[in-house]
Amino acid sequence: MLNLLGALARPVLFAMEPEDAHNLTIRTLKALPALTPKTDDPRLKVEAFGLSFPNPIGVAAGFDKHAEVPDQLLSMGFGYVEIGGVTPKPQAGNPRPRVFRLIRDQAVINRYGLNSVGAAEVARRLAARGTRAGIVGVNIGPNKDATDRVADYVALVQALGEHASYLSVNVSSPNTPGLRDLQQAKVLDEILARVIEAREATRRKPPVLLKIAPDVTLADLDDIVRVARKRRIEGMIVSNTTIARPDTLKESATAKETGGLSGRPLFEASTRLLAQTYLRVEGQFPLIGIGGITRPQDAVTKIEAGATLVGLYTGLIYEGMGLVDGMKRAILSSLRAGGHAGVAGLVGTRASSLAG
Ligand SMILES: Cc1cc2nc3c(=O)[nH]c(=O)nc-3n(C[C@H](O)[C@H](O)[C@H](O)COP(=O)(O)O)c2cc1C
């Protein structure tokens, strides 16, 4: 269905302002029934963070910010969906326009600024899913005007922990002033300690993952991984959007917009950081590799760099949902070629070379 939607709708969607196009996509998905997805090849099954994923491909945060269509996305064949970012109180985000296409670069710049309907509403929506199958993670971030950001993360765990397959602690969105400073070791340690403590007080005790920016230095990464390992979180997500503007960008006028850059130009940097993270984590927890996946083979490269699961957003805008089946085929063919029984055999097999 979405293949069809992709092929027919792209010219229509690309004639619209990006935010309107996105809202129309969400409305269209909402009108579709959430069917049971077709069964994946068993070799694609992945165990991570104590969860069992039917396949390793997920929708990255930001696509379904307000938990409107998680089940429709799962029925399109994704192995998991990360909804959000969700903030404690509702907030409007930045004024429009706040999303820009860099078409010739297969990229997007966004400065939404964590627009959110707020944790209580998202909790209601997730609770309404009841006992439906499917992994739905929740990306959490503080309100822009929060006086105590650590307290905001704690409130989010309390409000949403019961309804989340996993929680993704977002300290990496570039559009909330000062948010990325929370990646600094001392404050990060406090956040993770308090988040884990709040998680332990929930009934569900969802796994906690940390989502980082691609712009951290390797010295920052040493600190981040040290803190993550010390606090025994269940995983990390590498990476969010970048504030960098590679000089290879063709859409140089649009590239001047403020915000986070995603899509194709992010692939190399985010994959390198993923491999660097994998080498530092030494198998203590699994990683989700996100950033610039626009071709089926990119998913394989992320796994070889150290990702147990992958995620994408911008690639879906340019390539449509057909990319998901393509990625599954590419992964299966790499498993066959390498003689691996499952995805785990491929994880990190090229980490050293991709870290360079
Ligand atoms: C329009 C848009 C909104 C996003 N919103 C969020 C968000 O709320 N929280 C978050 O952690 N990441 C958010 N992201 C980042 C994505 O989850 C992802 O990490 C990043 O876009 C890189 O992946 P991609 O190149 O496949 O898009 C957003 C990305 C885009 C393009």
Side-chain angles (χ1 to χ4, degrees):
M1 175 67 194
L2 249 267
N3 282 340
L4 183 74
L5 198 71
L8 295 180
R10 187 181 142 139
V12 176
L13 292 173
F14 273 51
M16 302 170 73
E17 253 198 51
E19 184 164 349
D20 291 331
H22 182 71
N23 293 340
L24 177 62
T25 304
I26 296 287
R27 278 205 303 281
T28 307
L29 284 170
K30 235 179 176 171
L32 298 176
L35 306 169
T36 307
K38 61 175 191 279
T39 310
D40 282 310
D41 188 304
R43 285 167 298 176
L44 291 173
K45 195 170 159 179
V46 169
E47 307 289 333
F49 331 120
L51 302 171
S52 187
F53 297 74
N55 71 72
I57 302 155
V59 184
F63 188 91
D64 188 8
K65 277 184 184 274
H66 317 299
E68 294 174 276
V69 291
D71 292 298
Q72 286 83 350
L73 289 168
L74 290 167
S75 46
M76 323 246 86
F78 288 100
Y80 72 97
V81 177
E82 184 168 315
I83 64 110
V86 185
T87 56
K89 292 180 295 170
Q91 69 178 20
N94 290 318
R96 291 180 64 162
R98 51 191 180 175
V99 201
F100 307 88
R101 295 186 195 97
L102 287 72
I103 294 184
R104 285 181 296 154
D105 301 301
Q106 289 203 299
V108 162
I109 290 174
N110 92 82
R111 53 167 178 267
Y112 268 100
L114 291 183
N115 57 312
S116 174
V117 295
E121 179 57 27
V122 169
R124 259 193 299 280
R125 291 176 189 180
L126 292 176
R129 289 185 70 235
T131 54
R132 262 180 174 279
I135 293 174
V136 181
V138 181
N139 183 277
I140 55 174
N143 280 113
K144 186 182 174 187
D145 65 2
T147 48
D148 181 349
R149 290 189 162 172
V150 180
D152 265 25
Y153 286 107
V154 169
L156 287 158
V157 176
Q158 290 165 344
L160 292 158
E162 226 53 79
H163 309 290
S165 302
Y166 69 84
L167 291 166
S168 159
V169 177
N170 176 6
V171 285
S172 47
S173 281
N175 304 306
T176 297
L179 188 71
R180 288 168 307 133
D181 297 340
L182 305 181
Q183 295 174 117
Q184 190 258 325
K186 191 159 168 282
V187 59
L188 183 62
D189 188 48
E190 190 192 348
I191 292 169
L192 293 183
R194 298 276 306 279
V195 161
I196 297 285
E197 184 186 39
R199 183 272 305 272
E200 289 306 310
T202 64
R203 230 174 330 124
R204 185 166 180 162
K205 298 187 177 40
V208 168
L209 279 58
L210 176 70
K211 183 168 179 183
I212 66 168
D215 307 311
V216 298
T217 65
L218 291 181
D220 294 335
L221 186 65
D222 288 341
D223 285 348
I224 292 168
V225 172
R226 182 176 47 75
V227 171
R229 291 181 63 164
K230 175 179 141 200
R231 290 296 165 198
R232 300 192 167 280
I233 63 169
E234 280 72 21
M236 281 176 60
I237 305 178
V238 186
S239 73
N240 214 307
T241 57
T242 180
I243 54 166
R245 295 292 183 268
D247 28 328
T248 47
L249 290 177
K250 299 184 185 84
E251 307 273 9
S252 46
T254 315
K256 293 195 177 69
E257 293 291 347
T258 299
L261 175 72
S262 58
R264 181 75 224 150
L266 177 58
F267 184 76
E268 271 73 30
S270 63
T271 305
R272 205 178 314 122
L273 190 71
L274 170 68
Q276 290 283 1
T277 307
Y278 178 80
L279 296 174
R280 284 163 175 74
V281 168
E282 298 177 308
Q284 190 173 321
F285 49 66
L287 306 175
I288 303 185
I290 301 185
I293 296 177
T294 55
R295 301 173 299 204
Q297 192 61 26
D298 294 342
V300 175
T301 307
K302 290 280 189 201
I303 295 169
E304 291 170 336
T308 293
L309 299 153
V310 303
L312 77 166
Y313 180 168
T314 309
L316 299 174
I317 298 174
Y318 288 98
E319 301 297 325
M321 298 288 178
L323 189 52
V324 182
D325 273 340
M327 289 192 288
K328 290 180 187 174
R329 282 194 298 272
I331 294 168
L332 282 170
S333 115
S334 291
L335 294 182
R336 265 193 305 274
H340 304 296
V343 175
L346 200 60
V347 176
T349 49
R350 289 207 297 138
S352 297
S353 66
L354 290 166

